[in-house]
Amino acid sequence: MARAIEVVIGDVHARCDALYSLLRELGVIDASGRRARAGWVVQVGDLLDRKADPAANLATAQLAVDALDMVLAGNHEWRLLSDSDAGDNGAALATLAGQGWPDAAAASDGWLITHAGVHPELAAELPSEASDAAAEINHRWHRASKRRRDPLFNAVGPVRGGPDPYGGIFWMHSEEWPTKQTSPWGQIAGHVPQAEPRLLPGPRWAIDIKAPDRLAALVRHQGESRWRPVVVKATSHRREPAIAA
């Protein structure tokens, strides 16, 4: 029997074929798209894409519900959730909400996982244990009436043309990270496309990649301490997920 596996998946942007291909390559799902391996699988946000065809967003959300343990909010989910009318993407959001998703943070063995990362100045306001920091972030995130005024979520820094000194967990850019400064925990994030997954000073794993036909993730098996980056190319051999009538 295969060992349990931990997987942190980068930005998907409604590319259901890429998500399916990655999960199949890692043995997380079977050919029908159903979970087939024990462990913990989380996606860093931007699972959906606000400019994608709503059918692609819905198919991706359905695969995530079948196969993943957590989906985090990214800036695309932030925009969709903030819209007074999600329009045709309401079905994809409802599919995720039916599982209690999305949260804004997760943690694994001393690593904090968010969409864009937590700037050190914001990290200083959070608990020093990664699991406690994730719980605090999610507590603040689920206060829906206050989240739009919380800098942890809505701050936009100069790299993205915003008025703030650095971005929050949906908007921070790696160029806004101060030289030689660290956070209390290691971090894993997507959001800023890289040529390949990279371990940056901080330490920070950046796992969003530029290739439109590939998807990146970090993987480790039960008993391992180090993350292994994986990049998988999408195939066209996916069985279409069933769409509820």
Side-chain angles (χ1 to χ4, degrees):
M1 184 176 181
R3 286 187 295 169
I5 194 172
E6 283 186 284
V7 183
V8 184
I9 301 170
D11 301 38
V12 175
H13 289 292
R15 295 173 296 156
C16 194
D17 281 335
L19 180 59
Y20 175 91
S21 299
L22 174 71
L23 295 171
R24 282 287 286 158
E25 177 74 16
L26 298 176
V28 173
I29 60 173
D30 60 22
S32 68
R34 302 291 176 175
R35 188 67 174 262
R37 190 170 189 174
W40 182 73
V41 185
V42 61
Q43 194 273 328
V44 302
D46 284 3
L47 175 79
L48 309 179
D49 190 297
R50 64 190 184 91
K51 295 183 178 180
D53 187 298
N57 275 331
L58 178 56
T60 307
Q62 289 174 326
L63 177 57
V65 164
D66 287 340
L68 308 187
D69 297 294
M70 288 187 74
V71 171
L72 303 184
N75 54 289
H76 280 254
E77 286 81 22
W78 165 267
R79 291 272 186 90
L80 288 170
L81 289 165
S82 297
D83 287 345
S84 58
D85 180 8
D88 293 336
N89 286 303
L93 292 172
T95 298
L96 296 178
Q99 301 295 318
W101 299 336
D103 281 326
S108 176
D109 192 25
W111 290 87
L112 182 73
I113 306 164
T114 62
H115 180 60
V118 180
H119 189 279
E121 295 298 326
L122 292 172
E125 303 172 4
L126 295 170
S128 59
E129 296 292 329
S131 58
D132 293 337
E136 172 64 19
I137 292 169
N138 286 329
H139 172 70
R140 290 164 64 172
W141 167 250
H142 288 295
R143 295 182 301 177
S145 62
K146 297 182 178 180
R147 71 166 67 134
R148 299 180 96 176
R149 301 189 300 274
D150 191 329
L152 184 64
F153 308 124
N154 70 11
V156 180
V159 174
R160 292 189 172 271
D164 303 299
Y166 41 78
I169 67 169
F170 298 137
W171 306 105
M172 191 187 74
H173 195 282
S174 55
E175 294 178 11
E176 295 168 357
W177 190 278
T179 304
K180 298 182 180 180
Q181 198 162 350
T182 63
S183 57
W185 1 260
Q187 298 198 50
I188 302 171
H191 184 58
V192 179
Q194 315 286 321
E196 59 186 7
R198 295 197 298 160
L199 182 59
L200 302 169
R204 302 171 289 139
W205 274 105
I207 62 171
D208 185 23
I209 58 173
K210 296 178 181 178
D213 62 340
R214 288 172 170 80
L215 187 58
L218 296 180
V219 178
R220 63 182 179 186
H221 294 90
Q222 187 176 35
E224 295 178 342
S225 60
R226 298 183 64 179
W227 293 102
R228 173 173 60 94
V230 172
V231 177
V232 173
K233 184 176 181 179
T235 69
S236 58
H237 298 94
R238 176 177 58 87
R239 182 189 69 83
E240 289 294 332
I243 297 178

